Every structure is written in C-alpha cells, then in structure tokens.
Amino acid sequence: MGLWETISGRSRPKRANLDALFLVPSAAVTLQTAAGLLPTGDGAVCYRAATGAGFHETQGDIVALLGAAPDAPQVETSVDSFGFTWLQVHRDPSDPEGIAALCTDLHAVNTTLESEGFGPGLLCSLVPFADPTGRRVGLVYLYKSGTFYPFAPTGPQQRDNLLELQVRDTLRAELPIEPELSGWLALWGAPGL
Amino acid sequence: MARSRFVGDAGLTVRMTTVMFLLGALFVALVVGLALAAGGGLGILIGIAGIGVAVYQWANSDKVAMRAMRAREVSPEQAPELHGMIDRLCALADMPKPRVGVADTSVPNAFATGRSPERSVVCVTTGILGMLSAEELEGVLAHELSHVAHRDVLVMTVASSAGIAAGMLGQGARFGGLGLFGRRGNNGGLPVWLVVLLVSLAVYAISFLLLRLLSRYRELAADRAGAYLTMRPDALASALTKITGGINQIPQRDLREVSAASALCIAPAIGGVSLSTLTATHPSLEQRLEQLARIQAELSRPTA
C-alpha cells in the first residue's frame, strides 16, 4: 500500500492476474518427464461466493457455458468448511490434449467472474497431478500474487514437503513460483487431492 | 474492460484527510505557540518529545496491547481453524500473515495491533470465538486484517502526537513550569506558565475530539475493506449486531479489564448509553450497518 492509501485508509480490492494459467500445460509436460507426475484430468477454481442474486446468476452462467461446448467436461460445485466455493471440472485423463482444454475451462471461469466484478473473490486454481505409486500433488495458482506453488497433502493435516520442494525445483524455470514458503497456503480437503 | 463492484466513498476519504490535516495543524500550532510564549528551544523540544513518545508507543504497540488484553499467541497446531481462516483471507488480500493471538475473556471482542503489516498481531477473545458462527468470525477477522493493511496503529499514534505533547506540557505547567518557564517581567500580564497551561489544555481537548473522530472514520474504512474482502457484508453486519448486543449485556466489572485497549477493538469495549457519540471510538451500529447494506446492494446487483 502506498502513502496515499495509508492516509486515506482505503484499499481497493486486489485484482486477479489470470493469464499465467496458460503456462500450466507446458509445466505438465515437464512434470511428467522429470518427476513422473501425470495430470488427473481434474481441475478446480476456488473462489469466494458473494451474497445475492448477481453472483448466483453468474455462477449459473459459468456452469451453462462450460456445458455448452461440444466436448463439454463434467462440472460440479461444492462449498468447503471455510465457506469457499470449489468449481470442479473433470476431463478424461487419457486425452493428451486434456490438460490444455482444462486450462481453457478454468480460464473461462475466471474471466466470467472477473467480467461480472467478482474478480477480487478469486482465491486460487488447482490442477492435481498423480504418479503411479499414488502420490498426489496439486499445482496451485494464487490469483492475487500471480504465483504458483505445489501442495501435496498426505493426511488430514500433513503435507509432503519433500515432494513439494522437488516439484518447485522442477518447475522453477517455467512458472513463477511463490518465493515465500509461508505463502504456500494449505488447502486441506481440496477436491481431487 | 471488466466492471468493478467496488463503490468508492469519496466523502469518507475527504472527511478523514481533513481531520488528519487538522491534527497536523494543531501540532504545528502548539509548537509555534509555545515558541512564541516561552522561547523557540522549548517549543521544538516539546514537539520532538511528543513525537518521540508516540513513536515509542507505536513500536511497542503489539506487546502493550497483548499484555493489556492478557492475550497469548497461538500456533497453527493449537488453533487450526482460526489460522486456516486467516491464511485464506491473507491469500485473498495478498498480504503477509500476521501472528494470531487469543485472549481468555468472556467479553466478545477482537483487535489488531503492531507496528507494520509484517509485525502485527490479530487477536480474538474466547468470548467472540464462542459467540460467532464461522462466517461471522471471518467477517470480524477481515475487518481486523483491514486495520493491519491500512496501518491504523501507525496512523493513530502519529495522529496523537499533538495530544501527547500537550498532555506532557500541561503536567509540567501545572507545577509552575518546574523552573522551565523563566519569570519574565511582564508586569500585570498573566504568568507564562498559566498561558502555557491554558494553551495545552485547549490543544489536548481539541486533539481528543479529533482523534475520536478519526478513529470512527478508520473503523468505517476497515468495515468497508473487510466486507469487500470476504464478499459477505451481511456476515460482518450480523457479527457486529451480536457483539454490540453482547457487550452491553456483560457486567461492568469485566468491561474495565479491557478498556485500556478500547480504540483498537472491533467494537467499543465500554457499553452503555452514557457515552456520547462525540467521544466514541467507534461509529454507531446503525451507521456501520447502513454502510454494509450499501455494499451488499452493490455486490448482489444482478448481472447486466
């Protein structure tokens, strides 16, 4: 915050940075070759639902928009224990183009929310990956800082820090990674992980 | 271009900056007035001392407030829900995460303090944890985080410099200046120490009223920012209603325990009708609810 914002006690809601999501498909290729992690075909956008009819309508529009495409994915919404909504998109994991289509879906969700004025409510997007041994790690995109970080839960309140750091080092050249480890928000109970 | 649901409030900004300008002018007037009445060196000395005490208070604000509320810091393991909520709000606002404290008192309240966003504490009482639902608590936390983001502790302590300087001066002048104000031969006129005492009393009174006004504006600003952060003005509104009602029902003895840190709390810790609106640290509940209702209307406006 600048001096003027401090003096006037007035912070504007932070705007979301959306375009970095399109870096995910190439990062997915790197993850597959370097760490054996494959996309699970799922993806989710986590946001804060605003009160009232305007938001309800917008969310309905998004689900309809995603369902209208010829290769429509499965879409569902759920609300977690913190009151944040997860809009989940499921695609066929065996489709090699699936991850690119998934990112387009997630981007469509973001731009629709943004254009209706709900951009400040966007928290993160999540693209889960899994390896053949069953380890799972989610690539999380934080809209407000415009950075990615890996999140690998192993239990109800436990995360695999070693795997997370390994993923960070693998993707460092391709994605803007959140530099502060304290900013690697734990998303317990995130769908798809 | 994406449209925004953020409604500006130019009136509040203008009123707030005017009050801050007046407080600054008051400080300058005190120093200049003193320099004229009792010599330039003393005026500047008192000015520096006033700022010095304010800076000291600001630097130690987190420790002092935590001690006054008898709060202890809690780790993510001790309070996972509280930490999880604050984690998410900080990610949503892209701000560093403050430390989290809990105070063992049945008075429902919450406060934020600390010298900078990097070194701040957000503290809630066990009373508020038991009283509010998760959504309402989140609204309260968003309000406190807005105080942190707006650097309200810094603003309020700097703004109180004039009052502090005048207070110190009044104490000194009461005892005949302690020899500081030399007896000049102004035959028949008022003694210098009396002039200084009267001036400092006047400055103190004006500064007190302006500070309270500024505090109320900062509260409204924090309400606004908090409501936009959670996108749920209704949750904050119902939390405020519950807390204010709860505070008025709590016996008086409990309330004195927390009155020291009152200006930093989410709702005034001193209840009752005797408190006039002019000297209140917080705006009235009606005023706060009205503002939240306006934000709510804007957020729920149907899509074009």
Side-chain angles (χ1 to χ4, degrees):
Chain A
M1 296 236 313
L3 181 66
W4 172 245
E5 269 105 359
T6 302
I7 289 175
S8 60
R10 191 176 176 197
S11 51
R12 288 191 158 264
K14 187 107 177 141
R15 299 197 71 142
N17 176 7
L18 305 179
D19 292 333
L21 265 184
F22 288 119
L23 299 171
V24 170
S26 79
V29 176
T30 314
L31 270 185
Q32 187 176 351
T33 50
L37 289 160
L38 288 162
T40 60
D42 301 330
V45 179
C46 180
Y47 51 82
R48 187 69 207 209
T51 47
F55 190 87
H56 204 73
E57 212 179 305
T58 310
Q59 187 170 298
D61 287 350
I62 292 170
V63 174
L65 177 79
L66 291 177
D71 59 338
Q74 275 181 45
V75 180
E76 59 178 307
T77 57
S78 59
V79 178
D80 71 6
S81 58
F82 289 99
F84 282 77
T85 306
W86 290 87
L87 193 143
Q88 305 164 49
V89 180
H90 307 284
R91 281 190 175 269
D92 182 10
S94 58
D95 178 6
E97 294 300 311
I99 184 82
L102 185 71
C103 289
T104 314
D105 294 339
L106 298 184
H107 193 259
V109 176
N110 301 331
T111 43
T112 315
L113 284 174
E114 170 97 313
S115 70
E116 289 302 336
F118 297 113
L122 283 166
L123 179 67
C124 64
S125 274
L126 170 73
V127 182
F129 291 82
D131 74 359
T133 62
R135 289 194 305 174
R136 284 186 167 234
V137 56
L139 198 54
V140 184
Y141 178 61
L142 287 172
Y143 289 104
K144 303 306 165 58
S145 56
T147 51
F148 290 88
Y149 69 88
F151 174 60
T154 52
Q157 294 278 326
Q158 266 187 322
R159 52 201 286 190
D160 185 347
N161 294 118
L162 206 62
L163 178 61
E164 290 175 356
L165 293 177
Q166 184 198 342
V167 170
R168 176 189 69 179
D169 295 339
T170 312
L171 296 178
R172 186 170 265 161
E174 288 186 52
L175 298 177
I177 300 280
E178 174 64 39
E180 291 291 327
L181 291 185
S182 59
W184 290 19
L185 179 67
L187 299 164
W188 308 118
L193 285 176
Chain B
M1 187 60 201
R3 76 179 175 151
S4 165
R5 284 178 186 263
F6 184 80
V7 263
D9 192 343
L12 184 64
T13 311
V14 168
R15 288 195 296 275
M16 193 184 286
T17 36
T18 310
V19 169
M20 293 173 86
F21 174 77
L22 287 177
L23 276 164
L26 194 66
F27 184 79
V28 173
L30 179 71
V31 170
V32 170
L34 216 65
L36 290 178
L42 186 68
I44 293 167
L45 191 74
I46 286 290
I48 291 174
I51 294 177
V53 171
V55 166
Y56 177 79
Q57 283 185 355
W58 164 67
N60 291 297
S61 55
D62 50 345
K63 281 175 231 135
V64 172
M66 290 283 275
R67 210 177 304 133
M69 292 288 283
R70 293 206 202 95
R72 64 197 148 78
E73 207 181 316
V74 290
S75 68
E77 288 74 31
Q78 287 167 314
E81 291 90 7
L82 197 58
H83 270 271
M85 237 176 231
I86 292 176
D87 272 336
R88 289 186 177 215
L89 289 176
C90 289
L92 212 51
D94 193 25
M95 61 185 281
K97 186 185 171 189
R99 289 175 289 145
V100 181
V102 171
D104 286 309
T105 156
S106 59
V107 182
N109 224 328
F111 68 93
T113 181
R115 72 181 87 154
S116 70
E118 289 75 30
R119 296 197 41 146
S120 53
V121 189
V122 168
C123 183
V124 291
T125 64
T126 45
I128 209 172
L129 289 176
M131 179 186 252
L132 299 184
S133 71
E135 278 177 359
E136 290 163 344
L137 181 62
E138 193 191 47
V140 168
L141 290 173
H143 169 103
E144 297 305 335
L145 289 175
S146 307
H147 274 312
V148 172
H150 295 167
R151 293 172 179 266
D152 279 348
V153 174
L154 174 63
V155 169
M156 291 308 290
T157 37
V158 169
S160 62
S161 309
I164 292 171
M168 293 193 309
L169 207 58
Q171 290 288 328
R174 221 163 38 135
F175 301 110
L178 300 168
L180 273 174
F181 314 115
R183 282 163 180 70
R184 291 199 210 144
N186 50 348
N187 302 334
L190 284 167
V192 173
W193 67 266
L194 189 59
V195 175
V196 170
L197 181 63
L198 290 176
V199 165
S200 57
L201 276 179
V203 167
Y204 188 80
I206 298 170
S207 138
F208 178 78
L209 291 181
L210 286 179
L211 268 179
R212 293 300 170 90
L213 190 60
L214 184 61
S215 165
R216 296 200 290 276
Y217 290 160
R218 305 298 290 192
E219 289 301 325
L220 282 177
D223 276 355
R224 269 172 70 76
Y228 276 116
L229 183 58
T230 58
M231 297 256 187
R232 299 291 308 267
D234 54 336
L236 179 56
S238 86
L240 287 175
T241 317
K242 272 193 192 175
I243 296 167
T244 321
I247 279 175
N248 284 327
Q249 286 158 12
I250 301 285
Q252 201 65 35
R253 197 176 56 78
D254 274 320
L255 294 166
R256 292 206 189 120
E257 291 174 15
V258 294
S259 63
S262 181
L264 303 165
C265 292
I266 175 131
I270 307 154
V273 285
S274 60
L275 208 67
S276 87
T277 46
L278 201 59
T279 55
T281 55
H282 285 62
S284 69
L285 183 63
E286 291 74 34
Q287 226 179 334
R288 299 175 84 173
L289 293 187
E290 193 194 310
Q291 178 183 245
L292 290 172
R294 276 205 306 273
I295 296 173
Q296 168 100 348
E298 180 57 29
L299 280 177
S300 54
R301 191 160 45 84
T303 53

